[in-house]
Amino acid sequence: MIGLSLAEIADAVSGVLHTGGSALTADSVVSGPVHTDSRNIEAGAIFVAKPGEVTDGHLFAPQAVDRGASLLIVERHLDLPVAQVVVPDVVVALGALAADVVTRVRALGRLKVVGVTGSNGKTTTKNLLGAVLERVGPTVAARGSFNNWVGAPMTMLEVTDDTRFLVVEMGASGSGSILRLVRLARPDIGIVLSVGLAHAGEFGGIEATADTKAEMVTELLGTDVAVLNADDPRVAGMAAKTRADIVWFGQGPTATVRASDLHASASGTTFVLQLASGESRTVSFRVLGEHHVMNALAAAAAAERLGVGIDDIVAGLESVARAERWRMEVLGGRDGVTIINDAYNASPDSMSAALKTLAQIREPGMRTVAVLGEMAELGELAGEEHDRIGLLAVRLNISQIVVVGTAARRMHISTINEGSWDGESTFVDTADAAFELLRDSLQPGDTVLVKSSKSAGLRFLGDRLGDLFS
């Protein structure tokens, strides 16, 4: 974090400063990293005692002090020999501190902020854009999927006076959640990737999801830029809700940043990238799955508006070998067995895209195996969407399906009801049972997709299979 006095921090978070028992005063400046996990504390760090679903960060404040924390942000004063800022809500305070830091750095005149949202592809796009921007200037981008009211501010707090680009991933937990993050970060560029059925059960349907994703662009200024997916009608409709200048990306004719001549394989996708300037280049994109080309286009569109040239854009895109841990992550290799571990998130859209990729990269004469678990948070749509994925797997002629867990069982039933298979689909209750089955049944040359929502835990099954065939 940039250097701020204790008084400035207390003012930023509307808190009450207590320095009793500490060697610091209100004018003392701290600049250490900010953490919500006491295990990550180092000398000079700031510890935010966040209450959790299972435990309370205040209980770990003594360990944070022992590890050298210089300041605690807490909801009640603790009997500890360290400076403390007491606030009504530490999560709100964390956001306020992050907003203050970004405002101060932005005032220096160099920092540009990009916000990224969408039902699918946020983390991949954030990683791609970060890889491009860091080629031309100091860049801060979220680690992993730091995209909620805690993770996004933690990313923002990593900026320094030298930071030129900040890329903030913004997820949604319901109406108003993205708007809250937008008001903290104040993006110069807002990217909306897609509107799909991910979290539709939480939001109350896809139209409510679209309204929530539109919060990314509704408060952008006329001097800002909205990067919108021209191929998604619900995203395209957001053009009427923003004052910002619009850059369209996609594969259709209305896109100004677009891809053509796509060719997908097990090593990635090659395509011709055309920028809004009219410049074009062939990109050898190593992230597995043709659907990730849209994320590359969004990153390229934002980067171009930030003044990055096409050579650096292409080099940045080509430098990224995987979307993220547990996202189309290629493992294995022994006996020609390839494991594609894509079990961090799953929605009907991402499940369909992953299955189509599996079918697309099939080597002649070799088998494809789909290990599928629950798609969570679909509400009343869950049954029919699991049915639809089972039918899609049949129609894509996937060689073998293993459905894992009771919540996903309808995928198995729908494949049987399709009537075109005879034993190609198997249902098991647990990931352990799936591992035992696959350990004994996988054949040399198989390509295996492991796909589910995070809650199903199949990402660990993917890791075990990757280790087995490494």
Side-chain angles (χ1 to χ4, degrees):
M1 192 185 75
I2 64 172
L4 293 174
S5 71
L6 298 185
E8 288 173 325
I9 292 173
D11 183 62
V13 302
S14 301
V16 178
L17 175 63
H18 298 268
T19 58
S22 167
L24 303 181
T25 68
D27 294 328
S28 298
V29 173
V30 295
S31 59
V34 179
H35 294 293
T36 59
D37 188 333
S38 63
R39 293 169 296 184
N40 295 330
I41 292 294
E42 57 192 61
I46 298 170
F47 177 64
V48 179
K50 182 180 73 70
E53 296 180 2
V54 178
T55 188
D56 183 348
H58 293 76
L59 299 176
F60 299 92
Q63 290 93 315
V65 175
D66 290 342
R67 294 177 67 90
S70 60
L71 175 67
L72 309 180
I73 298 179
V74 293
E75 293 180 0
R76 59 182 182 272
H77 185 256
L78 303 176
D79 185 19
L80 294 169
V82 65
Q84 302 172 46
V85 174
V86 180
V87 297
D89 186 318
V90 297
V91 174
V92 172
L94 182 65
L97 180 59
D100 183 75
V101 167
V102 170
T103 297
R104 289 172 185 268
V105 176
R106 195 196 295 271
L108 300 176
R110 298 182 71 240
L111 180 66
K112 294 294 183 181
V113 180
V114 182
V116 183
T117 196
S119 295
N120 299 291
K122 294 183 295 295
T123 300
T124 302
T125 303
K126 173 263 300 179
N127 289 344
L128 293 170
L129 184 55
V132 171
L133 295 178
E134 68 184 9
R135 295 182 62 85
V136 298
T139 299
V140 171
R143 300 186 303 276
S145 294
F146 271 33
N147 62 22
N148 60 15
W149 293 343
V150 174
M154 293 288 284
T155 299
M156 295 163 62
L157 286 166
E158 292 183 17
V159 302
T160 68
D161 290 345
D162 296 326
T163 303
R164 186 173 171 189
F165 304 109
L166 168 64
V167 185
V168 184
E169 182 180 335
M170 297 183 180
S173 57
S175 177
S177 53
I178 292 176
L179 185 61
R180 175 174 171 177
L181 295 175
V182 166
R183 288 175 173 172
L184 294 179
R186 295 292 177 186
D188 300 285
I189 296 179
I191 300 173
V192 185
L193 299 166
S194 62
V195 175
L197 290 174
H199 313 296
E202 286 186 344
F203 294 165
I206 195 164
E207 295 305 329
T209 302
D211 289 340
T212 300
K213 300 302 181 184
E215 293 169 4
M216 173 61 77
V217 300
T218 53
E219 293 202 7
L220 294 180
L221 305 177
T223 54
D224 297 330
V225 178
V227 176
L228 301 180
N229 183 346
D231 298 348
D232 186 320
R234 291 185 173 85
V235 176
M238 297 176 191
K241 300 181 179 182
T242 185
R243 295 168 289 174
D245 188 22
I246 297 173
V247 178
W248 299 102
F249 70 93
Q251 297 181 43
T254 61
T256 54
V257 176
R258 60 181 180 268
S260 61
D261 300 325
L262 278 69
H263 177 70
S265 70
S267 59
T269 305
T270 60
F271 65 95
V272 175
L273 168 66
Q274 180 174 312
L275 298 180
S277 65
E279 291 185 280
S280 63
R281 293 280 193 285
T282 298
V283 179
S284 297
F285 189 48
R286 293 188 290 162
V287 177
L288 188 63
E290 190 176 289
H291 55 290
H292 283 303
V293 170
M294 291 295 286
N295 302 325
L297 293 178
E304 184 182 26
R305 289 304 297 260
L306 290 168
V308 183
I310 192 168
D311 290 338
D312 282 320
I313 290 174
V314 171
L317 295 178
E318 291 185 338
S319 72
V320 180
R322 68 178 186 183
E324 179 61 84
R325 181 84 165 97
W326 296 314
R327 290 175 172 88
M328 298 302 282
E329 184 177 14
V330 179
L331 306 170
R334 181 173 60 81
D335 298 331
V337 175
T338 300
I339 310 297
I340 304 170
N341 194 354
D342 192 31
Y344 189 83
N345 280 318
S347 68
D349 292 332
S350 68
M351 185 76 83
S352 297
L355 284 170
K356 289 174 183 177
T357 297
L358 178 63
Q360 194 171 37
I361 66 174
R362 177 203 308 264
E363 293 291 339
M366 298 300 177
R367 299 195 318 159
T368 52
V369 181
V371 184
L372 307 178
E374 180 191 13
M375 299 179 291
E377 300 175 352
L378 293 178
E380 63 183 14
L381 299 172
E384 62 185 80
E385 291 301 326
H386 282 84
D387 287 345
R388 187 172 67 83
I389 294 301
L391 295 177
L392 177 64
V394 173
R395 291 164 185 169
L396 289 172
N397 199 29
I398 303 302
S399 307
Q400 184 74 44
I401 287 184
V402 178
V403 177
V404 185
T406 302
R409 194 170 186 270
R410 280 187 64 159
M411 282 192 281
H412 171 63
I413 299 299
S414 66
T415 64
I416 295 173
N417 291 341
E418 183 70 358
S420 61
W421 281 12
D422 181 17
E424 287 89 346
S425 181
T426 304
F427 172 78
V428 295
D429 288 313
T430 67
D432 286 342
F435 178 79
E436 292 174 6
L437 172 67
L438 293 162
R439 179 189 59 198
D440 297 335
S441 64
L442 288 180
Q443 301 173 14
D446 282 352
T447 300
V448 184
L449 169 70
V450 182
K451 181 71 174 171
S452 73
S453 288
K454 184 178 180 180
S455 58
L458 296 197
R459 62 195 186 280
F460 304 118
L461 170 62
D463 286 343
R464 291 179 70 189
L465 292 171
D467 290 341
L468 181 64
F469 288 96
S470 62

